Amino acid sequence: MESFAEHYGAMYQTVNRCLPGVDMERIDRAVEYARQKHKDQKRKDGSPYIIHPLAVAEIVAEMGLDVEAILGALLHDCIEDTDASFDEISKLFGSTTAELVEGVTKLTRANFSSSEEQQMENLRKMFMAMSKDIRVVLIKIADRLHNMRTMQYQTPAKQISKCRETMDIYAPLAHRLGMQKIKWELEDIALQYLDPGAYERIMNYLSAHKEQDEAFMHTIQEKVTNRLSDMGIHNTTYGRIKHVYSIYRKMTTQDKTMDELYDIYAFRVIVDSIPNCYNVLGHIHDLFNLVPGRFKDYISTPKPNMYQSLHTTVIGNQGIPFEVQIRTWDMHETAEYGIAAHWKYKQGGGAGNEKDFEWVRRLLESQQDTDAEDYVVSLKIDMFDDEVFVFTPKGKIVSLPAGSTPIDFAYMIHSGVGNALVGAKVNNRICNIDTPLENGDIVEIITSKSAKGPSRDWLNICKSNQARTKIKQWFKKEKREENILHGKASFEAEMKRLQLSMSALSDGELEAQLLKKLAFDNWDDMYAAIGYGGLTAAKAVGRIRDDINRATRLPADKNSSPLKTAEDTRANRHAVNGVIVEDIESCMIKFSRCCTPVPGDAIVGFITKGFGVSIHRADCPNTLRRDDPRQAARWVRVRWAGQDEQPFETTLELDCITRDGLLLDVATAMTTARIRVRELSGKDLPGGRSIFTVRFEVKNVAELEAVRNRLLNIRDVTGSRRGQN
Ligand code: MN
């Protein structure tokens, strides 16, 4: 059991030492607030929960972070584990603190355990990207460090998973941030649980050789110190055994026993200036025998994580090799605390050739010409702004361009998944497939075997080139047959709408002329292009419309209505095809294909360009255009002449449950009713359903309704609607 007083005292001292003159009253308020909020909670060992935030705050203070970060550390579990809210914390401690706490909470909620090696880099990137402010990462690392230090109270399963996560995420991050001391501690504790046998063997070896080691290190230290003091170089020199995990790694990668292991000793010489670093190097090489090929100058070429030192390996007169690291105090601070050290020493280490951790360099650059406070503010992580990292339900990480949607995600997994996409869940909630994804989202794609494949709209929604390419491929290749069908259907509909005859397309000379105008080799290619959306039917027809009209004007004028018969022309001079157009003495009449009106239907007329008046049912969707003021003058009042017995052609679509013999039943019903059927066809739909299309002649709407009732009485016909001709 650890006590509040003990931890509070330690935190208080560390804060005062590392941030002299800090506003302690603010910190005390945060301690009291967190203590209240966590008052009913206990750590696994039975200690009051508050000791954990206190310990984390102490680590954060030790790193040298600012007061906001210390407040953030004290409150870091409040949002996650208590009823504290962002707003409350913001009100009491300021928005910066609240944002830090919220950032840590986000990281706590995300699941960073992943077993796949190649995912680790993305996992670490996501960790950074989610953090936004580098202080969030540092608080989270401090949080993990304290949890590792108290790992013995966890269950064995939890120990293993937390230690793996530490090895995969936290230790590499600490390394990249240049925080060697913390990295070593994290690794050593993790090893203790992940390979306890090896850990024990190394510890036993080290303790068995303790006296020997200490004697050796003392001898070397004395030799170096004496020489440097003689030369008037002020220095601090000490030896140490390398940390357990680095010994463990050397043993396993080089397959060696402890006895065979090269350099497990490391000496540090810390001096006041860079020139003295090189002076010391000369003296070391003079005192001991140099091991060739082991000298490294990280002062002129710093490591990506800003680490600077001279490294050399030499052999003392006992024949034992050891490494010597030579650096200045500033470099030492950076080596121990990494990026965090820059809150203390804003001049920091020089920027070098940091390739694999470029954002550190950017941070350093942005630090120039600003004072310390601005620097903290500018420490936002913008490295991964153009990427978003999300999880599959199994915990695999997928990196996508920022703004990506479930569509991008699906195609990133596999084009088959994308093509079968029918919906998506984000964080276990159904959402639109065009929802932009956020870092850490868990994305699940709902697929269906009967999915119709991607929609043309998806090309505008998706952000990744990969998705776009795959969708286009699908449209172009895999569905050519279907594209041709769909393209042809919409092309024909457009031709019909403009009263153009399809027969023009197969008219030798004209056909060649039209294809040339459209820039296609054959009609199928053009249909396919319309089908996958590369060309609209309206555009295609628009391009050839004039050519067709010119070539077919005369016959088209005469035969523009297939329903027009010889009797019609003899009819009442005001009535054409059984329809009277008010205020117009003589004009051509066409019955529209969209709604196939029959006598008895309420109708309206629309003056078309070059084709007279087309008659629509008053409830036809196309007549909604009557509201358009630009076309108002083209709508005319029309009515049925009444006495006409002329048959009219109309179409019904029947919804059916698929069964053998149904088509025959429909045909029989029509014959029995003495209805002349022009066309009868069926089309199977998924799920055991089908649609029958019946085109037939009736005299008026009453007869149509009688036929409709008759058809609806047939078993397995479940519905009907007026269709298109
Ligand atoms: Mn915590």
Side-chain angles (χ1 to χ4, degrees):
M1 285 273 285
E2 298 171 65
S3 74
F4 168 78
E6 202 181 318
H7 278 272
Y8 176 77
M11 187 275 301
Y12 190 90
Q13 279 185 358
T14 308
V15 169
N16 268 320
R17 174 166 51 83
C18 300
L19 285 98
V22 75
D23 179 1
M24 239 12 232
E25 190 270 334
R26 232 178 133 198
I27 289 173
D28 279 339
R29 270 201 299 128
V31 170
E32 207 37 54
Y33 179 85
R35 196 183 181 186
Q36 276 304 313
K37 289 288 176 190
H38 291 296
K39 71 175 187 299
D40 298 328
Q41 295 162 357
K42 294 242 180 298
R43 294 283 287 171
K44 282 268 153 60
D45 67 339
S47 311
Y49 194 88
I50 186 67
I51 65 145
H52 169 63
L54 284 171
V56 175
E58 190 187 340
I59 296 167
V60 166
E62 191 122 34
M63 286 176 179
L65 297 192
D66 58 2
V67 65
E68 307 286 354
I70 289 168
L71 294 175
L74 287 169
L75 305 173
H76 81 269
D77 279 328
C78 279
I79 292 184
E80 181 66 11
D81 294 341
T82 79
D83 61 1
S85 67
F86 176 88
D87 291 338
E88 192 175 69
I89 292 176
S90 183
K91 215 173 83 195
L92 292 170
F93 302 101
S95 60
T96 308
T97 302
E99 272 156 28
L100 292 176
V101 175
E102 192 180 54
V104 175
T105 306
K106 257 174 141 182
L107 292 181
T108 305
R109 286 178 185 162
N111 171 16
F112 290 105
S113 55
S114 165
S115 52
E116 284 179 64
E117 188 60 37
Q118 75 268 29
Q119 291 294 314
M120 292 308 161
E121 190 50 39
N122 277 340
L123 212 48
R124 291 188 283 263
K125 276 194 196 169
M126 179 166 74
F127 191 99
M128 299 301 296
M130 282 178 73
S131 307
K132 299 281 194 295
D133 185 321
I134 187 84
R135 286 173 293 183
V136 169
V137 180
L138 299 176
I139 295 169
K140 193 66 198 165
I141 288 175
D143 176 44
R144 175 52 56 102
L145 181 58
H146 183 245
N147 285 334
M148 289 297 283
R149 284 174 180 171
T150 52
M151 192 53 74
Q152 68 268 32
Y153 304 112
Q154 298 290 348
T155 63
K158 193 117 186 201
Q159 287 171 343
I160 298 291
S161 77
K162 287 287 164 194
C163 288
R164 284 244 166 82
E165 197 180 57
T166 297
M167 281 298 202
D168 290 339
I169 305 294
Y170 291 89
L173 273 178
H175 174 70
R176 290 196 155 189
L177 295 167
M179 311 165 88
Q180 285 206 62
K181 218 175 135 185
I182 287 175
K183 177 201 167 205
W184 291 344
E185 190 177 347
L186 290 173
E187 285 176 342
D188 282 0
I189 300 173
L191 181 65
Q192 216 173 313
Y193 295 97
L194 293 176
D195 193 344
Y199 183 83
E200 207 180 294
R201 278 195 299 281
I202 295 172
M203 290 306 279
N204 286 343
Y205 182 96
L206 291 178
S207 73
H209 293 74
K210 196 163 185 259
E211 273 177 38
Q212 200 181 318
D213 287 341
E214 276 173 0
F216 172 74
M217 288 192 288
H218 183 74
T219 312
I220 303 292
Q221 182 187 359
E222 206 167 48
K223 203 168 177 181
V224 173
T225 313
N226 288 343
R227 164 67 77 95
L228 296 182
S229 301
D230 286 352
M231 304 309 294
I233 300 174
H234 182 66
N235 71 95
T236 298
T237 299
Y238 58 90
R240 61 176 178 91
I241 305 279
K242 290 189 171 172
H243 76 295
V244 180
Y245 181 69
S246 81
I247 294 173
Y248 173 81
R249 223 185 34 226
K250 278 178 212 280
M251 287 170 70
T252 46
T253 57
Q254 300 170 17
D255 195 23
K256 282 182 175 155
T257 64
M258 281 291 293
D259 288 314
E260 298 168 319
L261 213 55
Y262 216 60
D263 62 4
I264 66 164
Y265 303 101
F267 287 82
R268 273 199 196 119
V269 183
I270 307 171
V271 294
D272 294 328
S273 68
I274 292 177
N276 270 345
C277 291
Y278 291 95
N279 288 335
V280 170
L281 181 72
H283 290 296
I284 298 288
H285 287 169
D286 187 42
L287 285 171
F288 309 101
N289 292 321
L290 173 74
V291 176
R294 301 271 302 184
F295 170 66
K296 290 188 189 86
D297 183 352
Y298 294 120
I299 289 181
S300 61
T301 311
K303 283 193 185 181
N305 63 14
M306 303 180 292
Y307 176 87
Q308 286 186 296
S309 279
L310 300 177
H311 285 195
T312 186
T313 301
V314 292
I315 299 178
N317 38 21
Q318 291 141 297
I320 301 174
F322 56 93
E323 186 182 70
V324 183
Q325 300 168 351
I326 307 159
R327 54 176 77 144
T328 66
W329 283 104
D330 281 359
M331 293 173 192
H332 182 61
E333 196 73 23
T334 301
E336 300 271 274
Y337 296 108
I339 186 91
H342 287 262
W343 268 271
K344 287 183 190 170
Y345 298 97
K346 52 175 177 141
Q347 72 277 17
N353 250 351
E354 299 92 353
K355 273 185 194 131
D356 67 354
F357 212 14
E358 202 205 3
W359 70 268
V360 171
R361 183 174 60 79
R362 285 204 215 166
L363 292 178
L364 289 174
E365 280 172 356
S366 68
Q367 175 200 1
Q368 286 163 4
D369 309 321
T370 59
D371 63 30
E373 211 156 314
D374 284 352
Y375 176 52
V376 172
V377 174
S378 69
L379 267 177
K380 302 282 181 195
I381 298 161
D382 59 355
M383 176 63 175
F384 307 114
D385 267 8
D386 50 352
E387 275 177 282
V388 60
F389 302 93
V390 297
F391 291 107
T392 67
K394 284 186 181 156
K396 194 181 165 202
I397 297 193
V398 177
S399 153
L400 296 163
S404 284
T405 63
I407 299 173
D408 297 280
F409 177 87
Y411 279 98
M412 191 61 86
I413 300 296
H414 192 268
S415 55
V417 174
N419 293 335
L421 166 74
V422 291
K425 280 187 187 174
V426 172
N427 302 326
N428 237 349
R429 283 207 189 126
I430 295 275
C431 73
N432 292 333
I433 57 170
D434 60 354
T435 310
L437 298 174
E438 287 181 25
N439 277 311
D441 279 349
I442 300 167
V443 188
E444 189 181 341
I445 297 301
I446 304 165
T447 58
S448 162
K449 274 182 187 156
S450 54
K452 291 186 198 121
S455 135
R456 180 82 189 159
D457 303 341
W458 295 7
L459 290 172
N460 302 322
I461 297 167
C462 64
K463 282 281 178 295
S464 61
N465 288 330
Q466 191 166 355
R468 209 166 285 142
T469 309
K470 284 176 174 174
I471 294 169
K472 280 186 184 160
Q473 268 172 8
W474 187 88
F475 276 106
K476 276 186 184 165
K477 288 174 192 160
E478 293 176 30
K479 291 284 169 179
R480 182 173 158 89
E481 293 308 309
E482 223 164 277
N483 286 336
I484 292 173
L485 277 177
H486 287 156
K488 192 173 182 193
S490 48
F491 182 81
E492 280 180 358
E494 182 66 12
M495 289 285 280
K496 268 186 180 173
R497 196 180 70 79
L498 296 172
Q499 319 275 8
L500 298 170
S501 159
M502 283 296 286
S503 60
L505 304 189
S506 46
D507 174 344
E509 223 172 288
L510 181 58
E511 178 181 16
Q513 180 192 332
L514 298 179
L515 281 170
K516 197 178 166 198
K517 196 134 197 179
L518 287 161
F520 283 97
D521 290 337
N522 56 63
W523 294 114
D524 275 358
D525 282 357
M526 186 198 69
Y527 295 147
I530 295 173
Y532 84 79
L535 174 72
T536 65
K539 215 168 191 174
V541 175
R543 260 183 229 164
I544 56 174
R545 180 184 179 173
D546 290 347
D547 295 60
I548 296 176
N549 278 337
R550 225 172 285 129
T552 59
R553 176 160 302 143
L554 288 177
D557 277 356
K558 275 183 187 158
N559 297 320
S560 58
S561 168
L563 295 179
K564 202 164 147 186
T565 61
E567 291 105 297
D568 295 334
T569 46
R570 276 191 277 112
N572 177 334
R573 76 179 184 111
H574 292 292
V576 182
N577 283 0
V579 170
I580 294 169
V581 180
E582 296 185 2
D583 307 324
I584 299 178
E585 289 215 345
S586 172
C587 67
M588 203 162 25
I589 294 292
K590 290 190 57 70
F591 294 98
S592 73
R593 310 299 179 113
C594 49
C595 54
T596 58
V598 298
D601 283 334
I603 49 174
V604 292
F606 183 74
I607 303 172
T608 61
K609 286 176 180 154
F611 289 99
V613 174
S614 71
I615 307 299
H616 293 263
R617 290 207 317 258
D619 59 354
C620 169
N622 286 329
T623 65
L624 294 176
R625 285 179 298 166
R626 272 184 289 178
D627 295 339
D628 185 345
R630 286 166 299 179
Q631 298 193 340
R634 296 172 68 186
W635 291 98
V636 292
R637 296 209 297 186
V638 296
R639 60 187 159 85
W640 298 103
Q643 76 284 18
D644 208 305
E645 288 293 289
Q646 172 74 28
F648 292 83
E649 208 175 84
T650 192
T651 304
L652 278 181
E653 280 180 1
L654 305 177
D655 296 320
C656 308
I657 296 165
T658 311
R659 77 163 153 85
D660 288 342
L662 187 55
L663 197 68
L664 184 65
D665 287 355
V666 171
T668 309
M670 299 298 278
T671 314
T672 316
R674 298 178 185 282
I675 297 294
R676 189 162 162 205
V677 176
R678 290 282 184 86
E679 184 193 330
L680 174 56
S681 62
K683 187 180 152 202
D684 283 346
L685 300 176
R689 308 203 62 93
S690 43
I691 287 186
F692 283 7
T693 305
V694 200
R695 190 155 59 89
F696 55 97
E697 290 178 354
V698 286
K699 293 190 183 67
N700 53 43
V701 76
E703 188 174 42
L704 169 64
E705 287 311 316
V707 171
R708 191 208 286 260
N709 278 334
R710 201 177 267 267
L711 293 173
L712 283 170
N713 279 333
I714 299 172
R715 181 164 61 88
D716 293 330
V717 175
T718 58
S720 72
R721 78 190 74 81
R722 298 278 291 272
Q724 300 185 355
N725 264 3

